[in-house]
Amino acid sequence: MPRATNGPASRHRRNSRLKLARGFKGARSKLFRTATEAVDRAQAMAYVHRKHKKRDFRRLWTVRINAACRMDGISYSRFIDGLNKCEIKLNRKMLSEIAIHDPAGFTKVVETAKAKVC
């Protein structure tokens, strides 16, 4: 009886890992061990950075809202406090979009928040 190896499965495993490493420079896309290390790190960083993206966008929205609030003569923290007291339920993403695309509407929201804070 001929000796049976796990050749097809091993080749598939190696090729699929090398396929994930396409686009990497040099040995990282050619050699199996190096490619495996590079792919493992890339996947770990992709997981971490998906979490960071949420954090980064929230910071961006906060900065935009703060800039728009300062133009209307109120600080960001007082504005958010006023919104909470008025029970206006707008998230930061929508507030930043309103501030960019509808400054007059944002000013009305700010005035409403100012009335509750001061």
Side-chain angles (χ1 to χ4, degrees), residues 3-32:
R3 184 173 76 98
T5 64
N6 202 19
S10 299
R11 186 172 61 250
H12 181 263
R13 186 172 57 248
R14 282 192 292 270
N15 286 341
S16 63
R17 185 48 65 112
L18 288 170
K19 189 175 178 184
L20 288 172
R22 270 193 203 153
F24 292 1
K25 285 184 121 184
R28 302 174 121 229
S29 67
K30 303 283 189 280
L31 305 178
F32 179 68

Side-chain angles (χ1 to χ4, degrees), residues 61-78:
W61 298 328
T62 301
V63 168
R64 286 177 177 172
I65 295 166
N66 189 21
C69 286
R70 301 247 176 218
M71 293 173 116
D72 290 325
I74 189 172
S75 70
Y76 171 79
S77 61
R78 285 186 164 278

Side-chain angles (χ1 to χ4, degrees), residues 15-89:
N15 286 341
S16 63
R17 185 48 65 112
L18 288 170
K19 189 175 178 184
L20 288 172
R22 270 193 203 153
F24 292 1
K25 285 184 121 184
R28 302 174 121 229
S29 67
K30 303 283 189 280
L31 305 178
F32 179 68
R33 181 182 290 178
T34 316
T36 299
E37 291 166 0
V39 166
D40 287 347
R41 179 171 170 77
Q43 288 177 334
M45 291 296 108
Y47 178 82
V48 169
H49 293 153
R50 279 196 299 276
K51 309 303 173 196
H52 284 198
K53 186 164 76 168
K54 295 161 183 58
R55 198 182 303 175
D56 293 341
F57 269 106
R58 187 177 168 109
R59 280 172 50 193
L60 173 68
W61 298 328
T62 301
V63 168
R64 286 177 177 172
I65 295 166
N66 189 21
C69 286
R70 301 247 176 218
M71 293 173 116
D72 290 325
I74 189 172
S75 70
Y76 171 79
S77 61
R78 285 186 164 278
F79 173 65
I80 294 296
D81 182 40
L83 289 181
N84 289 335
K85 287 178 180 172
C86 293
E87 295 184 3
I88 295 174
K89 303 287 184 207

